[in-house]
């Protein structure tokens, strides 16, 4: 059974594993940890639809599988469409009495940032617009990590990737990250949230709400990638936490169009602390860091205005 | 997962009086979808498929079909959604044409690789560029290696009959492959002809829904992982199984066509020979064009020319054996293509299949490859009669024409290029 009420402590996380060990994720992979918690929340009656990406590849190398739930993968760009098909089939089969109409079977779509922000955006938009009862989880490691480390439209400004390399003329990604939350918001769906594995209770409670929403919901989770971000295997949670504490990642929840910040930060840390931990930002100059700080300041100001309070405070000291 | 007992289609009692109505090919496709009680339909409009989508939508709106209609935002998503619906255990249908099929292309392989019994109607249409909405088989030929069973229809009745059979073939436990049924764009999709539909009871007893569990589906009580990563140590085994399933499907397609004939009086085979018993020259064709070739054959017969024709109904799996048998006694073989395989050994895609089928069986005949009717260019009986003249010449000289002849082309040199 899926969890239905918010949890207050780590002790309330179900023991049962539905995304099980033995898969091939890298050590310190945040995405695998996110999925593990996600599956504990959604329980037995979730049908998982996975886009092509790290999590699909590491978890289903035939003849093994890490999934104890029914699971479907079709292609890279169609998680939204495939999830729509499963949901429609459940509806039709329940109406015709082939499946028990009183049982709540829910579709959970999982995709990375490439499969969501870029190639999968159209099918995601179709799914959201049509109002399918699907929970969509995007784990955002901010580049195409499954194929190496190529830039996606979720790659943040200044980050090195193999397709936004650091050279004499170009110094990493030169465009800001695409606003997927804004895109989801524009679809007027009932539930949207951002989450972060360094705040597991907040993340789990958002998964619970998204799962129990009738209609489309989207949870956007920051997912540090140790090889891609050039961080030690032991640092993924630490770096994820700094993303929130510096204001680079704001923990949001938008219920029926009403936004709020779920984890407020009284005093922000400077972005430098987040950036300096990661090899992908090693080349940044003082000027670059200043520019990123300004971008984050502006983002924080926008968020505070949007939620109508100073949820994220100024940079400390 | 244990396979459930295979259900035998129920015998239909004595047929009552036959009902004949006027219908377009698009109507016929929608009736077939209605009559087999489809669960999920995902469609995106494209010319000339659009009336199929519209008809189905109207029937759902009127409560005549109890199905979920997904208004997808592209054909890529249409195919994705129906494959996913089939993986959940639903009877799923979509329809497309031309560029839409091209956009689906990636997912076509996924449908067959995952062995999902999706059924699709394809209103055949030329491909861009230049953009053209009229009939030819360029789109269909592009999907010939995607692992789909492909059935071509000659008239509106066949659109209906083929689609009913398609569901039974696709969902047969020894097959489990997607099936596409073609209807020539406009020539069938928009043309009204007499149609003899069956009752829904008859359709459903001929193509019954099998009890859940006869194949693995997405089910929380019996979780399966569908769409895995197949590394080099397993990928080839999967692909070979797919090829074997395609071979195995011959038996099921044959049985289905025969049974259909027994119950409804219209028997279907892999090929349909026309005037082949004593034919000296023959043309091999596909789809609605076959009716025109039959007319040419009739005309030639009146003139005392022993002309014949072989229509290919099932293009995948290709009926090489049946075709070789049908053609073994003629003096020359022509193949009429409505698509181009650019730069191929010979540019007619159907020709290559026919030539291979004969050559592998040691049957050496003078052969000629004809291409006509691209992008809706009209074909006339006189054009086909010219082709037969070319075949009679080839029969006399005993020599094949080694390059494809394009008929009906505007050219300074005249008719044939």
């Amino acid at each position: 059974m899926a969890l239905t009420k918010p949890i207050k402590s780590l002790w309330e996380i179900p023991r049962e594993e539905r995304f099980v060990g033995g898969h091939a994720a890298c050590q310190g992979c945040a995405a695998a940890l996110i999925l593990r918690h996600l599956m504990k929340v959604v329980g037995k009656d979730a049908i998982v639809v996975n886009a092509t990406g790290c999590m699909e590849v590491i978890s289903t190398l035939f003849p093994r599988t890490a999934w104890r739930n029914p699971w479907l993968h079709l292609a890279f760009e169609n998680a939204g469409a495939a999830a729509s098909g499963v949901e429609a089939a459940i509806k039709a089969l329940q109406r015709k009495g082939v499946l028990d109409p009183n049982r709540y079977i829910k579709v959970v779509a999982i995709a990375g940032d490439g499969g969501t922000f870029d190639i999968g955006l159209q099918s995601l938009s179709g799914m959201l617009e049509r109002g399918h009862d699907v929970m969509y989880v995007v784990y955002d490691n901010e580049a195409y990590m499954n194929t190496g480390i190529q830039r996606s439209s979720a790659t943040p400004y200044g980050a090195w990737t193999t397709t936004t390399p650091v050279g004499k003329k170009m110094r990493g990604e030169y465009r800001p990250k695409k606003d997927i939350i804004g895109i989801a918001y524009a679809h007027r769906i009932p539930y949207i949230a951002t989450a972060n594995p360094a705040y597991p209770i907040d993340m789990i409670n958002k998964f619970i709400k998204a799962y129990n929403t009738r209609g489309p919901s989207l949870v956007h989770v920051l997912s540090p990638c140790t090889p891609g971000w050039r961080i030690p295997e032991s640092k993924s949670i630490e770096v994820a936490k700094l993303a929130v504490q510096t204001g680079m990642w704001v923990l949001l929840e938008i219920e029926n169009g009403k936004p709020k910040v779920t984890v407020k930060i009284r005093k922000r840390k400077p972005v430098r602390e987040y950036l300096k931990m990661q090899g992908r930002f090693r080349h940044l100059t003082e000027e670059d860091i200043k520019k990123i700080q300004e971008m984050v300041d502006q983002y924080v100001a926008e968020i505070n205005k949007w939620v109508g309070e100073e949820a994220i405070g100024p940079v400390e000291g | 997962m244990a396979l459930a007992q295979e259900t035998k289609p129920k015998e239909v009692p004595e047929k009552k009086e036959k009902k004949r109505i006027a219908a377009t090919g698009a109507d016929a496709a929608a009736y077939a979808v209605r009559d087999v009680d489809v669960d999920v339909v995902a469609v995106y409009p494209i010319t000339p498929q659009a009336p199929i989508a519209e008809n189905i939508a109207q029937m759902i709106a009127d409560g005549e079909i109890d199905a979920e209609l997904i208004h997808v935002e592209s054909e890529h998503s249409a195919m994705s959604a129906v494959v996913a619906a089939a993986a959940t255990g639903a009877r799923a249908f979509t329809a497309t044409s031309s560029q839409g099929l091209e956009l689906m292309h990636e997912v076509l392989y996924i449908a067959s690789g995952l062995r999902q019994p999706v059924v699709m109607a394809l209103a055949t249409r030329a491909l861009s560029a230049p953009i053209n909405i009229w009939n030819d088989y360029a789109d269909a030929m592009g999907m010939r290696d995607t692992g789909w069973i492909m059935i071509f229809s000659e008239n509106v009745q066949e659109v209906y009959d083929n689609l009913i059979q398609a569901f039974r073939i696709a969902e047969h436990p020894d097959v489990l492959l997607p099936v596409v049924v073609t209807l020539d764009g406009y020539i069938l999709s928009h043309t009204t002809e007499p149609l003899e539909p069956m009752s829904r009871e008859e359709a459903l007893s001929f193509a019954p829904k099998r009890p859940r569990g006869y194949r693995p589906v997405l089910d929380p009580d019996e979780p399966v992982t569908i769409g895995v990563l197949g590394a080099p140590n397993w990928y080839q085994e999967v692909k070979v199984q797919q090829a074997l399933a395609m071979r195995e499907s011959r038996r099921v397609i044959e049985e289905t066509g025969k049974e259909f004939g027994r119950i409804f009086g219209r028997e279907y085979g892999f090929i349909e020979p026309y005037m082949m018993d004593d034919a000296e020259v023959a043309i091999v064709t596909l789809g609605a064009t076959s009716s025109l070739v039959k007319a040419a054959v009739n005309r030639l017969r009146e003139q005392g020319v022993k002309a014949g024709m072989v229509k290919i109904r099932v293009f995948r799996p290709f009926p090489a054996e049946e075709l070789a048998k049908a053609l073994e006694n003629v003096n020359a073989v022509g193949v009429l293509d409505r698509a181009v395989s650019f730069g191929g050994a010979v540019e007619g895609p159907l020709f290559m299949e026919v030539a291979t089928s004969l050559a592998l069986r040691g049957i050496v005949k003078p052969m000629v490859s004809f291409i006509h009717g691209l992008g809706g260019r009209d074909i006339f009986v006189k054009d086909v009669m010219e082709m037969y003249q070319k075949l009679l010449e080839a029969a006399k000289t005993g020599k094949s024409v080694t390059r494809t002849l394009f008929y009906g082309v505007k050219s300074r040199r005249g008719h044939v290029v």
Side-chain angles (χ1 to χ4, degrees), chain B residues 13-59:
Chain B
E14 240 354 78
K15 264 197 75 118
K16 285 154 263 149
E17 66 193 87
K18 288 179 181 175
K19 197 177 93 183
R20 276 187 126 201
I21 56 170
T24 64
D27 296 335
Y31 292 146
V33 167
R34 174 195 66 190
D35 293 346
V36 297
D37 186 29
V38 160
D39 301 313
V40 175
V41 178
V43 273
Y44 190 76
I46 183 164
T47 303
Q49 167 266 81
I52 302 178
E54 292 165 349
N55 285 340
I56 292 172
Q58 188 65 50
M59 289 176 183

Side-chain angles (χ1 to χ4, degrees), chain B residues 38-81:
Chain B
V38 160
D39 301 313
V40 175
V41 178
V43 273
Y44 190 76
I46 183 164
T47 303
Q49 167 266 81
I52 302 178
E54 292 165 349
N55 285 340
I56 292 172
Q58 188 65 50
M59 289 176 183
I60 291 174
D62 292 340
E64 287 182 48
I65 302 180
D66 182 8
E68 283 296 312
L69 176 61
I70 313 179
H71 299 95
V72 278
E73 77 298 334
S74 78
E75 285 92 348
H76 192 284
S77 287
M79 184 48 65
S80 305

